[in-house]
Amino acid sequence: MVDVLGGRRLVTREGAVVEAEAALQNKVVALYFAAGRCGISRDFTPLLCDFYTALVGQARRPAPFEVVFVSADRSAQEMRNFMRQQHGAWLALPFHDPYRHELKRRYHITAIPRLLILKQNGEVITSKGRKQIRERGLACFQNWVEAAADVFQNFSG
């Protein structure tokens, strides 16, 4: 993810700061464009939380997967509230980082919520992550890994 988030700092739900390169290295990364005021976002976020927890938090062998929340909230406080109330233990681009807007332009985000699944080089595996999780559950992760096979040769879900 050096091409996309290299050199950036991300924040956890608790407010801790982490370096993007270290946190995202050798992982399938989901960019989650959403907002707390959006009913569809509030509906999907618990499902994403369960998906993330099953893959990363509760697995005997955590999957090489990370979510980065890109807020479309109107304020930093609105973003923090949404993260505290509904989010999983994933990462977020800080609200005041103007790169949020660049990512929306780069990936042509015109509506939220949107869950993009990316390879390490920033190439889109799918722009339909939300639909795939709803329809296929955990099974879709293996497809994402296979699409990014150049990085994940030794992972078998």
Side-chain angles (χ1 to χ4, degrees), residues 123-137:
E123 182 183 327
V124 176
I125 293 171
T126 184
S127 61
K128 299 182 183 332
R130 188 168 67 97
K131 181 179 186 214
Q132 290 180 4
I133 288 173
R134 281 196 181 283
E135 292 177 355
R136 301 193 57 230

Side-chain angles (χ1 to χ4, degrees), residues 104-156:
K104 285 168 73 175
R105 279 191 295 278
R106 178 177 182 167
Y107 291 109
H108 311 289
I109 304 302
T110 57
I112 57 170
R114 191 73 172 274
L115 187 69
L116 297 182
I117 310 303
L118 306 176
K119 292 183 180 183
Q120 281 288 294
N121 65 2
E123 182 183 327
V124 176
I125 293 171
T126 184
S127 61
K128 299 182 183 332
R130 188 168 67 97
K131 181 179 186 214
Q132 290 180 4
I133 288 173
R134 281 196 181 283
E135 292 177 355
R136 301 193 57 230
L138 292 174
C140 63
F141 181 72
Q142 189 61 40
N143 290 15
W144 302 342
V145 168
E146 288 167 7
D150 50 332
V151 176
F152 306 107
Q153 296 166 353
N154 298 322
F155 182 80
S156 58

Side-chain angles (χ1 to χ4, degrees), residues 67-103:
V67 174
V68 176
F69 173 52
V70 183
S71 176
D73 291 300
R74 289 182 221 141
S75 70
Q77 186 60 48
E78 203 174 88
M79 176 182 163
R80 277 191 299 276
N81 290 344
F82 184 38
M83 289 176 69
R84 284 190 194 120
Q85 291 167 9
Q86 282 202 296
H87 283 207
W90 56 72
L91 303 170
L93 200 58
F95 183 82
H96 295 293
D97 188 332
Y99 193 59
R100 291 182 312 122
H101 307 294
E102 174 60 29
L103 287 173

